Amino acid sequence: MKKVLVSLFLILSVILAACGSGNGAEGGEGSSGSGDQIVMRAGTGANQEHSTYLGLEKFKEIVEEKSDGSIEVEVYHSGQLGDDREMAEAVQLGSQEVVVASDANLSPFVSEVNVLGFPFLFPTREVAHEVLDGEAGQAILDKFDEKNMVGLAYWENGFRNITNSRQPIESVEDLSGLKLRTMSSDLHIDVFAELGANPTPMAFTELYTGLQQGTVDGQENPNPLIYQQKFHDVQDYLSETRHVYTPYLFLVSKGFYDELSDEHKQIIEEAALEAGEYQREENHKQDQEALESLVEEGIEVNEVSEEVRNEMQTIIEPLLEDYSQEIGEDIVNQIYEAVEEAS
Ligand code: TK8
């Protein structure tokens, strides 16, 4: 009897699974204008207040309108679908269609993105946009193809500042021994180790608890994320190091994308860019407002002098040279030249 029940259960599960696969992403298989609903699940680690969530909502609006509802976009925030790395894995495997993730968290997939995370590479956000939206940026997005992902656009996370619970960072020495959470990137880990800190990679979704419980003393992120994640509740100091500009990459699952009609591909490509422009503007506004809000919340803010930033840059120069060799001089030079041109 038990055996019969078990087999019945197994048969039922198979049937249910088969029915289930008619929904969700797999609907994309019938994308040749057959009228099947195509569903795109898009995820970000940031919460509903963040420009990335607003940008994804804009993407949804554009795509659903232009496709006359034949494509439906579901937006997930706050790491509901996982942290950046987990979501990128899902996009790679095709169990999620879109992720908007920070460059460094994608370096385990495409090591070339590390060049974008070279500290002090981009002098301003405008220069960053010009370089990323040009040929040099495209060359990096193209690298995702081999990893089963299609890079459609660069959105913006922004210039990162360090927060911690120990002391203001006013000199390089102030970083000494600081347990600092980094993104999951060898480059970022090596950079902070070189600067004397004690870098600890950790998922963004676990960061608040990590700071609260003292697993790490500090972290670095752009001001909007610091404020929206309420890191000021568990951190005393914010130092405006602006040590690196972090772009977000808008990635689509290649398996899903390749099945789309040309018309649908075009709608999605254009929407990723158009929503990205909107996201960058919203992010800029949030960046300006967040600092004021953080001060009101009582976090102590200090500027970091140009000398100290230059000193940091000099210390990590040999490390960046090693990374350049690893990444490939061609790509690195292309980026450097584009920065020069845009500056
Ligand atoms: C979520 C992440 C996060 C990033 C990090 O959006 O991991 O620190 O800065 O913003 O991409």
Side-chain angles (χ1 to χ4, degrees):
M1 182 62 189
K2 204 170 164 197
K3 263 191 191 157
V4 176
L5 274 180
V6 169
S7 358
L8 263 180
F9 175 76
L10 283 176
I11 292 167
L12 209 69
S13 321
V14 171
I15 294 173
L16 280 175
C19 293
S21 72
N23 301 324
E26 281 75 22
E29 278 162 16
S31 63
S32 49
S34 60
D36 281 356
Q37 183 77 11
I38 299 169
V39 178
M40 298 179 80
R41 285 157 296 185
T44 166
N47 71 18
Q48 276 170 294
E49 290 168 63
H50 195 261
S51 56
T52 305
Y53 177 76
L54 304 178
L56 282 172
E57 283 288 315
K58 175 68 81 187
F59 174 78
K60 172 185 169 74
E61 198 184 299
I62 299 169
V63 167
E64 292 184 353
E65 198 197 306
K66 284 198 182 165
S67 73
D68 275 330
S70 60
I71 306 176
E72 186 188 329
V73 181
E74 294 174 0
V75 182
Y76 295 89
H77 57 87
S78 310
Q80 286 169 316
L81 298 180
D83 62 52
D84 280 4
R85 193 168 164 169
E86 289 164 341
M87 286 192 285
E89 265 159 24
V91 165
Q92 190 173 37
L93 292 170
S95 56
Q96 179 180 332
E97 290 70 36
V98 176
V99 63
V100 180
S102 291
D103 60 353
N105 290 328
L106 297 168
S107 64
F109 302 88
V110 170
S111 60
E112 285 88 351
V113 295
N114 272 332
V115 63
L116 304 177
F118 279 12
F120 310 106
L121 172 69
F122 296 116
T124 63
R125 62 191 288 277
E126 288 79 12
V127 169
H129 296 171
E130 203 173 319
V131 173
L132 295 168
D133 298 344
E135 271 173 41
Q138 187 60 44
I140 306 232
L141 286 183
D142 289 346
K143 295 281 169 199
F144 282 84
D145 236 61
E146 294 156 30
K147 302 293 167 180
N148 265 322
M149 296 185 260
V150 183
L152 290 188
Y154 287 100
W155 289 15
E156 176 171 274
N157 192 346
F159 284 103
R160 303 173 85 84
N161 292 323
I162 298 178
T163 67
N164 81 102
S165 57
R166 208 176 66 177
Q167 71 188 101
I169 308 302
E170 286 167 333
S171 66
V172 178
E173 292 72 49
D174 291 337
L175 284 171
S176 176
L178 189 75
K179 267 191 280 165
L180 190 75
R181 176 270 176 177
T182 66
M183 293 191 273
S184 56
S185 140
D186 290 346
L187 170 72
H188 281 236
I189 295 168
D190 289 346
V191 161
F192 286 109
E194 206 65 23
L195 293 172
N198 184 357
T200 310
M202 188 184 282
F204 185 67
T205 41
E206 283 156 30
L207 183 49
Y208 185 92
T209 313
L211 293 167
Q212 190 177 37
Q213 296 181 343
T215 317
V216 284
D217 303 316
Q219 65 85 42
E220 39 90 59
N221 253 297
N223 292 343
L225 286 171
I226 296 173
Y227 177 60
Q228 291 166 5
Q229 298 293 322
K230 299 195 184 308
F231 290 158
H232 50 268
D233 284 351
V234 285
Q235 298 276 269
D236 298 322
Y237 307 100
L238 187 159
S239 307
E240 293 185 277
T241 45
R242 292 173 65 84
H243 51 278
V244 68
Y245 174 90
T246 300
Y248 275 128
L249 279 73
F250 188 107
L251 303 176
V252 181
S253 171
K254 190 166 156 54
F256 165 81
Y257 186 82
D258 286 347
E259 294 284 318
L260 293 171
S261 67
D262 288 348
E263 191 196 340
H264 279 162
K265 278 183 188 148
Q266 197 183 343
I267 289 173
I268 288 169
E269 276 169 39
E270 286 172 2
L273 290 170
E274 194 183 326
E277 268 172 46
Y278 168 79
Q279 186 274 337
R280 280 175 172 172
E281 279 325 298
E282 287 302 307
N283 194 57
H284 188 43
K285 276 188 231 159
Q286 292 191 346
D287 196 43
Q288 289 168 320
E289 288 162 11
L291 189 65
E292 217 169 288
S293 309
L294 282 161
V295 171
E296 275 166 27
E297 291 292 340
I299 200 164
E300 196 182 307
V301 177
N302 71 281
E303 286 178 12
V304 177
S305 73
E306 209 48 43
E307 285 100 286
V308 170
R309 297 172 80 250
N310 287 340
E311 202 184 321
M312 288 181 179
Q313 197 171 357
T314 309
I315 294 172
I316 59 172
E317 222 168 77
L319 179 71
L320 297 189
E321 266 160 38
D322 291 348
Y323 267 90
S324 300
Q325 304 269 316
E326 232 178 272
I327 294 165
E329 298 279 357
D330 286 357
I331 285 202
V332 175
N333 288 339
Q334 192 184 5
I335 293 282
Y336 277 138
E337 278 161 27
V339 170
E340 188 84 353
E341 222 168 279
S343 299

